[in-house]
């Protein structure tokens, strides 16, 4: 069977909250799926060379060409990201830049179902990036946005070993000079019931939407 739903995570953390939530959506679709972790492959940013204009095929020499074929043939995408420094992560940003190769003359992604997952700790940054992702998906790529999830993540300072004593600790920037790592237990997506339930609902919705007359 061909892949119907492709899940992509920009989180570099092994088995991260982002990964697990994307995989939960995939599982709930009940369709043939595949999961790709961008930090394990080489997808470079767009070089703006415009060599993709004649044929919608990016000419940058990396593994994007193979991934692009999966993106084009999949009937739905689930894209997961996180916001270091208040901006979308570099892995996901590079991927979205390369989507430009799909847009010349005709849009190869038009009408494809898409859901997004964003894991982070700064609500303002999360809101801004979620809105930017929605604009990318709907306005630029002209895909159909079926759902967006925002997930409580974890500061790296909680587990780096120096979070309590480091003068540059993000823990103290966010929660005050007296904040201690012991005050903020690790946040697992499985413990965020509403988010977990919404992920399963979005996955089921994608599966239902793919049960059209042309479904395999």
């Amino acid at each position: 069977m061909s892949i119907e739903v492709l899940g992509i995570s920009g989180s570099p953390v092994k088995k991260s909250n982002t990964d697990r939530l994307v995989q939960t959506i995939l599982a709930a679709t009940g369709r043939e799926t595949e999961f790709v972790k961008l930090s394990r492959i080489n997808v470079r940013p767009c070089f703006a060379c415009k060599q993709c204009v004649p044929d919608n095929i990016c000419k940058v020499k990396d593994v994007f060409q193979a991934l692009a074929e999966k993106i084009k043939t999949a009937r739905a995408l689930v894209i997961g990201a996180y916001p270091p420094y208040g901006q979308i992560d570099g892995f996901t940003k590079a991927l979205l830049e390369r989507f430009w190769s799909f847009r010349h003359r005709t849009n190869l992604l038009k009408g494809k179902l898409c859901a997004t997952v964003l894991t982070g700790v700064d609500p303002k940054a999360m809101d801004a990036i979620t809105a930017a992702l929605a604009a990318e998906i709907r306005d630029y790529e002209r895909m159909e946005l079926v759902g967006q999830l925002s997930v409580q993540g974890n500061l790296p300072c909680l587990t780096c070993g120096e979070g309590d004593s480091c003068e540059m600790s993000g823990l103290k920037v966010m929660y005050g000079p007296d904040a201690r790592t012991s005050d903020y237990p690790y946040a697992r997506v499985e413990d965020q019931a509403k988010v977990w339930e919404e992920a399963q609902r979005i996955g089921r919705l994608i599966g239902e939407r793919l049960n059209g007359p042309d479904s395999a």
Side-chain angles (χ1 to χ4, degrees), residues 120-194:
V121 296
D122 183 344
K124 290 180 66 176
M126 297 274 282
D127 289 346
I129 295 171
T130 296
L133 281 170
E136 168 88 13
I137 299 304
R138 287 191 306 233
D139 301 338
Y140 298 156
E141 312 308 338
R142 299 184 185 177
M143 290 188 280
E144 182 177 348
L145 186 61
V146 296
Q148 291 190 287
L149 287 174
S150 293
V151 190
Q152 175 64 44
N154 298 279
L155 281 169
C157 305
L158 292 178
T159 55
C160 75
E162 302 290 340
D164 289 338
S165 57
C166 176
E167 66 177 67
M168 299 300 294
S169 175
L171 183 73
K172 300 182 186 303
V173 171
M174 290 197 67
Y175 303 117
D178 297 325
R180 308 288 293 178
T181 55
S182 58
D183 296 331
Y184 300 91
Y186 188 84
R188 299 188 329 135
V189 66
E190 290 84 354
D191 298 328
Q192 300 176 51
K194 290 184 177 179

Side-chain angles (χ1 to χ4, degrees), residues 23-212:
Q23 291 166 333
T24 296
I25 295 174
L26 295 181
T29 66
R31 315 299 293 191
E32 191 75 10
T33 67
E34 183 175 332
F35 175 75
V36 175
K37 194 167 178 66
L38 292 174
S39 61
R40 301 295 184 264
I41 62 177
N42 179 28
V43 175
R44 305 173 75 187
C46 176
F47 278 45
C49 64
K50 302 181 185 177
Q51 293 184 49
C52 58
V53 171
D55 56 10
N56 296 102
I57 297 176
C58 181
K59 306 304 187 298
V60 177
K61 302 299 183 182
D62 59 13
V63 303
F64 178 73
Q65 287 79 6
L67 180 58
E69 291 306 309
K70 295 179 180 180
I71 291 170
K72 287 187 289 186
T73 57
R75 299 176 62 199
L77 303 177
V78 182
I79 300 174
Y82 77 105
Y85 296 95
Q87 303 176 45
I88 197 167
D89 65 273
F91 293 109
T92 307
K93 178 66 163 57
L95 174 74
L96 295 176
E97 285 186 12
R98 300 290 284 279
F99 276 18
W100 191 53
S101 62
F102 299 135
R103 295 209 300 265
H104 302 295
R105 294 184 297 178
T106 183
N107 195 321
L108 301 183
L109 302 183
K110 185 176 181 180
K112 195 181 298 290
L113 303 181
C114 186
T116 69
V117 169
L118 187 66
T119 306
V121 296
D122 183 344
K124 290 180 66 176
M126 297 274 282
D127 289 346
I129 295 171
T130 296
L133 281 170
E136 168 88 13
I137 299 304
R138 287 191 306 233
D139 301 338
Y140 298 156
E141 312 308 338
R142 299 184 185 177
M143 290 188 280
E144 182 177 348
L145 186 61
V146 296
Q148 291 190 287
L149 287 174
S150 293
V151 190
Q152 175 64 44
N154 298 279
L155 281 169
C157 305
L158 292 178
T159 55
C160 75
E162 302 290 340
D164 289 338
S165 57
C166 176
E167 66 177 67
M168 299 300 294
S169 175
L171 183 73
K172 300 182 186 303
V173 171
M174 290 197 67
Y175 303 117
D178 297 325
R180 308 288 293 178
T181 55
S182 58
D183 296 331
Y184 300 91
Y186 188 84
R188 299 188 329 135
V189 66
E190 290 84 354
D191 298 328
Q192 300 176 51
K194 290 184 177 179
V195 173
W196 195 253
E197 291 169 4
E198 180 64 4
Q200 294 176 324
R201 186 195 71 80
I202 291 173
R204 290 193 298 269
L205 175 62
I206 292 173
E208 292 166 2
R209 292 289 304 278
L210 296 183
N211 282 328

Side-chain angles (χ1 to χ4, degrees), residues 13-33:
V13 177
K14 185 177 180 179
K15 297 180 180 178
S16 66
N17 279 337
T18 308
D19 292 358
R20 300 200 305 279
L21 200 59
V22 169
Q23 291 166 333
T24 296
I25 295 174
L26 295 181
T29 66
R31 315 299 293 191
E32 191 75 10
T33 67

